[in-house]
Amino acid sequence: MILLKLAISSLYNRRASAFLTLFTIAVSVMLLLSIERVRVDAKSSFSNTISGTDLIVGARTGDIQLLLSSVFRIGHANNGVSWQSYQYIKQQRGVNWTIPLSLGDSHKGQAVLGTSADYFQHYKFAKKQQLRFSQGRAFAHLNEVVLGAQVAAKLGYSLGDSIIISHGMGNTSFHHHNDNPFTVVGILDATGTPVDKTLHIPLAAIEQIHSTNHHTGHEHEHEKPTDLIGNPKQITAFLIGFDSPLYTLQVRRNINQFKNEALLAIMPGVTLRELWEMLTIVEKILLLFSMVVVLVSLLGMLTTLLASLNQRRRELAILRSVGARPWHLFALISIESLLITFLGCLVGCGLFYLLMALAAGYLQSHAGITIIIAMLSSYELMLIGAIMAAGFIVGLIPATRAYFYSLSDGMSIKI
Amino acid sequence: MINIKQLSFTWQKQQINPTIAITSLEIAKGEHVFLHGPSGCGKSTLLSLLAGINRPTSGQLSILGCELGQLSKSKCDKFRAEHIGYIFQNFNLLPYLSPIDNVTLGCQFSKPRQIKALINSPTLNQEASRLLNALGLDEQLHQQNVASLSIGQQQRVAAARAFIGSPELIIADEPTSALDANNRQSFINLLFAQANEVNSTLLFVSHDTSLQPLFNRNIDLVSLQEQDK
């Protein structure tokens, strides 16, 4: 008890250097926790993007390219799947549902996805969660659009607004489909996936806007689009759900060997994992760096403690003279290093939550990573425990020196 | 009280002349002894032997009938904490503790000392306060920052810390070297008064021979050692 009091008063007496040491440790703890949390949440956001889908089918490219273009809206699919092939595969045994995806258009930089109403029923993310409407309903007519949560929030759209879709990606596109305004009929709940950044329109409408656009002069009246009839010639990709996952491998092989067209079927879970594995090297380097930062901060503490020990010989000698045993001094220095590490970890956790609270919005909108401000996970607690243990072990070095100092110096020290 | 016979101490084994070589020295209980000698004659070494920091190379050194050379290191520490009060030359106090906390420090590490301190007062803090008053430190300074005290006041706090729990032996290692002549005189008188009150033996070490007349016994360490050669 007296040792704790002495350690606290002594540290308070040297508060400037003690605080700096503590702050260094706090920052390193914050860094380690943040990197760990972003890593875990990035991984889960990533693998939560799509679930419940057994196969993704597109034109033959690489597995990862197909996944990126169809699910993450990154890159372009150069080729599509013909409507005939889509219809053929749809009829296969075991196919429960399919969702056609047609990409390539945009609205103010946000992706436009042409799809069927099945999308709102069968598309699932995270732990097989369905898409939910925060407002409105699914599209039922050609000129209706359903917005992802972020599109609506970012562009300030609400139900009933009228918007115009442009051809191609990017908001600098010259090709605006001015004659086909869409009415917002539904807004989806936030999902933390690319769905939030997507405008959903009926598949037939994609065909409609493109075909009308090909008539350069617009000299004749179009039929007024009223319902969802009309088939496109091609779609970008489609998703398949089976009655039973047992069909997956069989159908996948059939599709990959499909004679009429060069197609590729991938299992999203497998490809997601492959993609993540490509990124693990980055993740490992980040973790390594943050561990080095922790190590450096602990070495900083060691330096401070060792340097202060020299100035504290008199203090330690006084303690010895009033009856403190060598192990008392050993314990005193150990308690000091533990206190610094403990408070450093505590402050570090505080900084970590502050940083997460501040950065959550940014990470969500710019990286699509949903940060969950939750209690520390057992792994994170283990990391903190490891830091505390390392701090304690580092503290044993000056503590051991104090132990022997006191014996050789004793009370005869004269400064 | 202190009994030394054929004591010798060398820092290194190959050393030819021992740092300390005393044939015989006896100090009785309650004596006020002035131990003096020039710098480098082994005063500090002798004190470290008396305090049980270092062990005699050969010979006998007993305090209160207890042979220090035969005690284990931890027993030595325990013995020192219980029976010896130590006053340093200067910079004696822990700057981050109040005078009261500085005084009670010794009792925190030694249970017997704590029990003895509590004979006079109901709490340790009251006992510390009583000693500080007896040594002439004003009540309002008791909780003040140690660094704001003058050297003379700090030395009084240090003396109070040595006296708390009435140890049998008080070792004062040049405690007055930072004080001027007047303060030196009054400080030593206070030491005497306290030592008499609890019947402690006072071993006062200094190279300043002008203090000699104040003590009832003087030991010149140089001549004490030379007798033997």
Side-chain angles (χ1 to χ4, degrees):
Chain A
M1 223 36 242
I2 178 70
L3 287 177
L4 187 64
K5 185 188 166 188
L6 282 175
I8 291 171
S9 329
S10 180
L11 279 178
Y12 182 74
N13 191 44
R14 291 172 284 128
R15 54 190 169 276
S17 67
F19 178 78
L20 272 180
T21 315
L22 189 153
F23 188 71
T24 324
I25 293 176
V27 167
S28 71
V29 167
M30 177 196 78
L31 201 67
L32 185 72
L33 286 181
S34 304
I35 286 175
E36 175 56 24
R37 179 63 62 92
V38 169
R39 186 181 73 90
V40 169
D41 284 349
K43 190 173 182 176
S44 77
S45 293
F46 193 78
S47 46
N48 279 347
T49 310
I50 187 164
S51 78
T53 297
D54 293 312
L55 283 180
I56 301 175
V57 184
R60 192 162 296 164
T61 54
D63 289 12
I64 289 171
Q65 204 187 343
L66 176 59
L67 182 79
L68 287 176
S69 66
S70 63
V71 176
F72 290 93
R73 328 261 189 265
I74 297 170
H76 294 275
N78 298 328
N79 247 317
V81 181
S82 74
W83 187 254
Q84 285 84 355
S85 305
Y86 170 51
Q87 289 303 323
Y88 177 77
I89 293 164
K90 210 175 156 178
Q91 309 303 324
Q92 297 293 305
R93 203 159 65 92
V95 174
N96 183 5
W97 52 264
T98 60
I99 299 172
L101 304 173
S102 181
L103 289 154
D105 287 315
S106 72
H107 173 75
K108 297 191 176 165
Q110 312 289 317
V112 171
L113 172 68
T115 185
S116 67
D118 289 339
Y119 183 84
F120 302 106
Q121 211 189 336
H122 294 300
Y123 188 89
K124 293 198 176 77
F125 65 98
K127 295 186 176 66
K128 305 216 168 167
Q129 278 166 270
Q130 259 187 305
L131 297 172
R132 264 198 300 256
F133 285 88
S134 65
Q135 295 173 53
R137 54 171 173 83
F139 46 65
H141 294 281
L142 268 186
N143 59 349
E144 289 178 342
V145 59
V146 171
L147 305 180
Q150 224 184 305
V151 178
K154 195 172 165 190
L155 302 176
Y157 291 143
S158 50
L159 292 185
D161 284 354
S162 202
I163 59 175
I164 283 156
I165 307 288
S166 55
H167 187 54
M169 301 304 279
N171 51 9
T172 50
S173 174
F174 294 115
H175 235 117
H176 290 293
H177 302 291
N178 282 326
D179 46 349
N180 281 301
F182 286 84
T183 310
V184 178
V185 296
I187 295 171
L188 295 170
D189 269 343
T191 60
T193 72
V195 171
D196 294 355
K197 293 193 260 186
T198 306
L199 295 88
H200 307 84
I201 60 172
L203 191 58
I206 295 250
E207 193 57 23
Q208 198 76 32
I209 50 182
H210 290 169
S211 60
T212 55
N213 217 46
H214 296 152
H215 302 286
T216 43
H218 292 281
E219 62 276 331
H220 61 270
E221 280 288 303
H222 291 298
E223 269 181 76
K224 266 276 170 236
T226 48
D227 48 44
L228 298 175
I229 36 171
N231 297 326
K233 288 188 190 69
Q234 224 185 22
I235 54 175
T236 311
F238 60 95
L239 312 178
I240 306 179
F242 293 107
D243 293 329
S244 150
L246 296 173
Y247 292 103
T248 310
L249 288 174
Q250 175 66 39
V251 174
R252 181 176 171 223
R253 203 172 64 220
N254 289 346
I255 292 173
N256 286 339
Q257 293 170 352
F258 195 55
K259 291 254 164 30
N260 303 349
E261 201 176 352
L263 293 181
L264 173 71
I266 57 168
M267 295 191 278
V270 174
T271 312
L272 274 171
R273 211 170 308 130
E274 276 173 24
L275 188 54
W276 186 254
E277 244 134 59
M278 287 169 61
L279 300 174
T280 47
I281 183 77
V282 178
E283 163 202 10
K284 278 183 183 145
I285 287 172
L286 274 177
L287 205 61
L288 187 74
F289 267 95
S290 54
M291 282 182 176
V292 168
V293 170
V294 170
L295 190 70
V296 167
S297 72
L298 289 178
L299 286 180
M301 178 176 79
L302 178 63
T303 314
T304 319
L305 284 178
L306 281 179
S308 71
L309 212 54
N310 246 334
Q311 297 156 7
R312 293 170 67 199
R313 286 177 107 134
R314 158 100 8 205
E315 179 187 331
L316 298 178
I318 293 170
L319 286 173
R320 285 284 278 148
S321 78
V322 298
R325 321 254 202 286
W327 72 262
H328 280 126
L329 303 192
F330 183 86
L332 181 71
I333 306 288
S334 296
I335 289 172
E336 277 181 22
S337 60
L338 255 184
L339 263 178
I340 294 179
T341 338
F342 177 72
L343 290 177
C345 287
L346 219 60
V347 174
C349 290
L351 288 176
F352 159 68
Y353 277 115
L354 193 70
L355 184 75
M356 287 297 110
L358 291 177
Y362 180 85
L363 283 172
Q364 175 63 275
S365 58
H366 285 77
I369 300 169
T370 311
I371 296 295
I372 302 145
I373 309 233
M375 291 296 289
L376 294 171
S377 70
S378 56
Y379 182 70
E380 287 163 336
L381 284 175
M382 203 194 76
L383 278 179
I384 292 177
I387 293 173
M388 297 260 294
F392 179 72
I393 290 167
V394 161
L396 291 182
I397 298 169
T400 312
R401 273 187 83 163
Y403 184 96
F404 289 111
Y405 253 178
S406 51
L407 275 179
S408 58
D409 291 0
M411 299 172 222
S412 56
I413 185 162
K414 289 211 165 68
I415 298 167
Chain B
M1 175 71 206
I2 300 177
N3 203 335
I4 293 175
K5 274 201 187 89
Q6 305 295 343
L7 176 72
S8 84
F9 178 79
T10 53
W11 285 106
Q12 283 147 345
K13 274 182 184 161
Q14 58 266 53
Q15 205 174 324
I16 303 159
N17 294 317
T19 316
I20 298 281
I22 299 171
T23 325
S24 133
L25 174 67
E26 260 187 66
I27 295 171
K29 190 165 172 58
E31 264 190 305
H32 299 171
V33 180
F34 184 68
L35 182 73
H36 61 96
S39 306
C41 71
K43 293 195 297 288
S44 298
T45 311
L46 179 59
L47 290 188
S48 78
L49 290 174
L50 286 171
I53 297 291
N54 291 308
R55 282 149 188 281
T57 312
S58 66
Q60 281 181 0
L61 167 63
S62 68
I63 297 176
L64 292 166
C66 185
E67 185 57 50
L68 285 187
Q70 265 145 38
L71 291 180
S72 70
K73 272 181 183 158
S74 64
K75 285 229 174 84
C76 255
D77 287 332
K78 202 161 177 278
F79 182 84
R80 176 167 63 247
E82 278 170 34
H83 303 292
I84 301 175
Y86 209 103
I87 308 172
F88 284 105
Q89 185 172 4
N90 49 14
F91 310 113
N92 246 327
L93 307 175
L94 296 184
Y96 48 80
L97 294 181
S98 69
I100 292 277
D101 284 340
N102 261 293
V103 173
T104 55
L105 203 53
C107 302
Q108 312 282 0
F109 291 107
S110 168
K111 198 79 192 161
R113 190 109 174 234
Q114 191 175 348
I115 292 164
K116 278 206 271 177
L118 289 174
I119 294 172
N120 293 321
S121 307
T123 68
L124 281 179
N125 281 2
Q126 279 169 27
E127 171 67 1
S129 209
R130 186 189 70 80
L131 279 168
L132 286 173
N133 281 329
L135 284 159
L137 195 75
D138 287 346
E139 195 89 47
Q140 73 257 28
L141 297 174
H142 290 188
Q143 290 294 350
Q144 225 172 8
N145 189 353
V146 160
S148 69
L149 301 181
S150 72
I151 296 288
Q153 288 165 335
Q154 289 191 26
Q155 211 53 288
R156 281 154 212 241
V157 178
R161 187 177 60 201
F163 278 113
I164 197 166
S166 320
E168 287 83 351
L169 177 63
I170 302 281
I171 298 176
D173 185 6
E174 312 227 22
T176 56
S177 61
L179 304 180
D180 59 49
N182 282 338
N183 271 313
R184 202 176 300 164
Q185 180 83 49
S186 63
F187 180 72
I188 290 172
N189 286 337
L190 285 169
L191 282 187
F192 285 173
Q194 271 308 309
N196 284 334
E197 196 175 305
V198 291
N199 201 19
S200 295
T201 309
L202 179 65
L203 185 60
F204 193 103
V205 183
S206 178
H207 60 265
D208 182 1
T209 46
S210 68
L211 298 171
Q212 221 164 313
L214 299 169
F215 291 82
N216 52 19
R217 185 170 168 198
N218 292 296
I219 299 171
D220 181 354
L221 191 57
V222 178
S223 54
L224 181 71
Q225 298 206 61
E226 269 169 2
Q227 286 170 13
D228 316 318
K229 287 180 186 165

